[in-house]
Amino acid sequence: KAPRTLHLYHCFKQWYQRRVRGNQNKTKLLNNTQTNTISTMARTKPNILITGTPGTGKSSLSDSVANNTGLQHIDVGLLVKTKGLHDGRDENFDAFFINEDKVCDELESVMDEGGVIVDHHGCDFFPERWFDLVVVLRTDNGTLFPRLKNRGYNAHKITENIDCEIMGV
């Protein structure tokens, strides 16, 4: 197992063991200065979001973690493409305009069940309640640039993604 996969597997195992040992009834959340006790969701397996700039290794890591944990891997880009969850194409970036509402509607029931790894370069439109762990992947530009070039990305798309990685957005 790769080191990153091993670390995520360890995090998943710890989370699952805590759930099994009886930490299923209540969770404490810190809300500003007040502590509230709430019932946890009914799911018994965690949901993980793996995000980062295109080319950082999200799909590879998601596949590896899914294979080692039995969790389901959902590649949002592939889901958008196969289910038509978009509003057309952006020709400048050679990508779909994702319809975020359609994506969330499509994922709602599977996320409530738990046991899902979501792989996507964006994370701002997903409900926070869906995820128990969020992993943001980063990579150096010397590695990223050739990966994007090998994918056949146009110069504009490569520059935009490299800039996003540099700025951490």
Side-chain angles (χ1 to χ4, degrees):
K1 296 178 188 175
R4 288 191 303 189
T5 304
L6 205 54
H7 177 70
L8 279 180
Y9 177 73
H10 181 68
C11 290
F12 164 73
K13 189 174 175 183
Q14 284 181 330
W15 178 89
Y16 187 74
Q17 286 173 342
R18 282 194 309 269
R19 290 287 275 220
V20 169
R21 271 187 263 153
N23 193 18
Q24 296 174 339
N25 297 330
K26 297 187 179 190
T27 296
K28 289 189 177 188
L29 294 179
L30 187 60
N31 184 7
N32 294 331
T33 57
Q34 177 185 9
T35 302
N36 298 319
T37 302
I38 62 167
S39 296
T40 60
M41 299 183 77
R43 60 180 187 248
T44 58
K45 292 184 180 178
N47 290 328
I48 301 170
L49 172 63
I50 299 181
T51 188
T53 304
T56 55
K58 296 178 302 296
S59 296
S60 298
L61 181 61
S62 296
D63 283 340
S64 184
V65 172
N67 289 334
N68 285 292
T69 61
L71 300 178
Q72 177 188 0
H73 172 206
I74 297 176
D75 178 336
V76 173
L78 184 60
L79 183 72
V80 166
K81 188 177 189 177
T82 58
K83 300 265 185 162
L85 307 176
H86 58 83
D87 297 324
R89 286 191 64 77
D90 181 340
E91 297 305 324
N92 290 331
F93 287 102
D94 190 28
F96 290 108
F97 290 112
I98 294 176
N99 184 312
E100 297 170 353
D101 291 332
K102 287 181 181 179
V103 170
C104 288
D105 288 346
E106 181 71 26
L107 292 175
E108 184 77 38
S109 63
V110 73
M111 297 305 292
D112 287 345
E113 292 173 21
V116 178
I117 300 168
V118 175
D119 158 10
H120 190 56
H121 62 269
C123 62
D124 57 333
F125 67 91
F126 296 119
E128 287 181 35
R129 64 182 163 76
W130 280 3
F131 300 104
D132 302 292
L133 176 66
V134 176
V135 178
V136 180
L137 297 183
R138 304 286 311 268
T139 193
D140 66 273
N141 293 326
T143 302
L144 186 59
F145 181 82
R147 285 182 187 172
L148 299 178
K149 190 151 181 72
N150 289 340
R151 289 181 179 189
Y153 285 12
N154 64 44
H156 179 65
K157 189 170 183 175
I158 291 173
T159 301
E160 184 75 17
N161 282 304
I162 294 288
D163 288 349
C164 287
E165 184 64 15
I166 291 169
M167 298 298 177
V169 293

